[in-house]
Amino acid sequence: MYSSLLLFPVKLEGKKIIVLDETLLPFKEGYIKVDSLEKALDVLGSMKTRAFGQVLLFFYCCALFDSYSIAEITQRFKETRPTFDFELLAALLEREVSGSKDILESVNKFIANFDFLRRRRMSRLAALLPNPAKVLTICNINGELIYLYEELKKLSKECIFYVSETRPYLQGTRLTFWELRKNNIPAYLICDNQAASVMKDGKVNCVVTGADRATTKGDIINKVGTYALARLAKYFGIPFYTLVQYPKDIDVSSIVIEERPSSEVFMFLEEGSAGIDAVYPSFDIVTSNLVTKQINILGQ
Amino acid sequence: MKIKDVKKAVLIWGILSKKGLDALKKEEMGIVAECRPYLYGLKHNSILLNKEKVPYFYCTDNMLGYLFREGKVKRTFIFYRGKKEDGFISPAGSLYVFLLSKLHSVELKFFEEGRFSEGVDKDASTFGERVFVSREDFTFVEQPEDELIEYKMGLKEA
């Protein structure tokens, strides 16, 4: 049986939200108790959780901290991480709540259904990938590559992953490579700049990435480094697949790209970085002309 | 530093040499990419530019696509290690930088690499002494090798 802590990195225990501190992995499995909105925002802003974790954190905050409206919580989350679409989450939640009136019940229902949907999404992707599937990926898709591996196995397809380390936070190394290897799934780690080399040598035959935002036209916003992969994949004739949630009919260029502090660029380095000025755009835009197929959470 | 404050600049890839430094001094600003896993950007190029008071900004390798897409790269300097009859031998990541430059119509210049005396970490799973991959998984780390940029890919000596 395959598993990953990252499939559900945020959980609810009584009146407290328990957040897996992803910045400690793989060295330590540590958790943070969140009992206020301020604490939740601190956890979010300091990247202790991200991706699906921030979805869960948002939903649980809406369920627990009822002195704030969903709109207020949305605004505070958006101010903390401006690129992610918390307004979309709020709309999904409002729609669920309107039927049952109980936010927590709605949240639990939504989460259970989401897990079913993401597994089904991987089943659709597995059918599209070649045999053997030699998959290049970046950042971390919260355990979903494990689902992909299981689905490929069901189809008797061989699979190997190449994981781009994803500087500066190293989500590729610390999260994706770690969770795949913990499950004994064949995976190789590469430096981000080796992508062209593994493509040229035929070590990969497809690219699979998640997306923080997506448009109905097929554009995505995802971790910085994704654009280079898409552009290079196009050059080498390698298909580029994106896993998205709920695409919106919006102009991708209107989305604010979060820039994080310079100091974070050096956070995992041993060397001193005094006096060095760095840029840190967190996300890349990848336009639809570089995307072979967008697979949304509804499996379409 | 914010992206909006960044001017078009010259990307440095590999080990900056004296000749490359002289060429860079004629430019307004440099971009020092990290150059994993060796960290030539941090351990050599940034130190040299600080010493020579040449303005630059730093970025990780995976941010280069963003900078190319935003039109922030004016020119690329690649520092090669050797020449073969079918192309240039350059440190890991050179192909990535070369192709991104070509795909964004950014001018490329090649220089012989400089000298770098300090021992460098050539392990893709670590940063110096800090190890990110468990011992049993070391064999699953694709250790970087020098790369060949071929003339047939559009390489031209400037």
Side-chain angles (χ1 to χ4, degrees), chain A residues 26-27 138 162 165-168 170 173-174 177 181-182 186-198 200 203 223-229 231-232 235-236 257 259-262 265-281 283-287, chain B residues 1-4 6 13 34-37 39 42-43 46 50 56-70 92-97 99-100 103-104 118 123-134 136-137 139-145 147-148 150 152-153:
Chain A
F27 308 110
I138 186 168
Y162 278 81
E165 63 181 351
T166 321
R167 288 281 291 131
L170 295 160
T173 310
R174 296 185 304 100
F177 183 73
R181 291 304 308 140
K182 259 190 105 168
Y188 280 92
L189 178 69
I190 63 166
C191 294
D192 296 316
N193 63 37
Q194 285 175 270
S197 175
V198 295
K200 179 173 176 271
K203 289 178 178 171
K223 181 58 59 192
V224 71
T226 308
Y227 168 73
L229 297 189
R231 201 70 205 262
L232 292 167
Y235 175 82
F236 285 106
I257 300 293
E259 290 187 51
R260 296 195 60 86
S262 243
V265 169
F266 306 98
M267 63 186 295
F268 283 103
L269 298 175
E270 296 291 309
E271 310 294 321
S273 59
I276 299 181
D277 211 348
V279 292
Y280 184 1
F283 299 98
D284 265 335
I285 294 175
V286 178
T287 47
Chain B
M1 183 177 256
K2 295 290 178 195
I3 294 291
K4 66 175 172 54
V6 166
W13 190 264
E34 199 158 56
C35 288
R36 283 278 291 138
L39 295 171
L42 187 70
K43 292 184 174 182
S46 67
N50 281 341
Y56 70 92
F57 65 90
Y58 188 91
C59 69
T60 60
D61 304 339
N62 54 342
M63 291 172 194
L64 291 176
Y66 180 96
L67 295 173
F68 275 108
R69 190 178 181 276
E70 291 294 311
S94 296
L95 195 58
Y96 182 88
V97 168
L99 287 174
L100 286 175
L103 293 168
H104 294 84
E118 192 189 332
D123 189 336
S125 64
T126 65
F127 278 103
E129 296 300 311
R130 199 155 183 194
V131 180
F132 287 87
V133 171
S134 68
E136 58 267 30
D137 288 334
T139 51
F140 290 93
V141 177
E142 184 87 357
Q143 297 299 350
E145 293 171 0
E147 294 173 1
L148 176 67
E150 294 169 277
K152 69 177 182 190
M153 297 180 100

Side-chain angles (χ1 to χ4, degrees), chain B residues 35-88:
Chain B
C35 288
R36 283 278 291 138
Y38 320 99
L39 295 171
Y40 293 139
L42 187 70
K43 292 184 174 182
H44 178 80
N45 300 342
S46 67
I47 293 168
L48 202 55
L49 295 186
N50 281 341
K51 200 169 140 192
E52 297 286 331
K53 297 190 173 16
V54 177
Y56 70 92
F57 65 90
Y58 188 91
C59 69
T60 60
D61 304 339
N62 54 342
M63 291 172 194
L64 291 176
Y66 180 96
L67 295 173
F68 275 108
R69 190 178 181 276
E70 291 294 311
K72 298 293 184 184
V73 186
K74 180 179 169 188
R75 206 165 279 132
T76 300
F77 288 1
I78 294 182
F79 293 85
Y80 64 85
R81 190 146 285 177
K83 287 184 184 177
K84 282 177 70 176
E85 61 181 41
D86 50 351
F88 286 5

Side-chain angles (χ1 to χ4, degrees), chain A residues 71-134:
Chain A
E72 283 171 319
I73 293 174
T74 307
Q75 185 56 31
R76 300 291 300 279
F77 267 63
K78 197 178 157 191
E79 284 162 9
T80 309
R81 300 290 323 262
T83 303
F84 196 77
D85 194 358
F86 292 105
E87 281 156 344
L88 172 71
L89 297 183
L92 290 169
L93 187 59
E94 301 271 17
R95 197 182 62 191
E96 291 283 335
V97 171
S98 65
S100 72
K101 306 279 183 202
D102 183 333
I103 297 185
L104 188 55
E105 191 188 311
S106 302
V107 163
N108 288 336
K109 203 172 114 193
F110 180 87
I111 291 166
N113 190 42
F114 192 85
D115 194 45
F116 164 78
L117 293 175
R118 62 183 174 175
R119 189 179 273 281
R120 194 182 64 175
R121 171 167 72 176
M122 283 306 174
S123 162
R124 301 256 171 115
L125 176 61
L128 293 173
L129 298 187
N131 184 19
K134 298 184 281 185

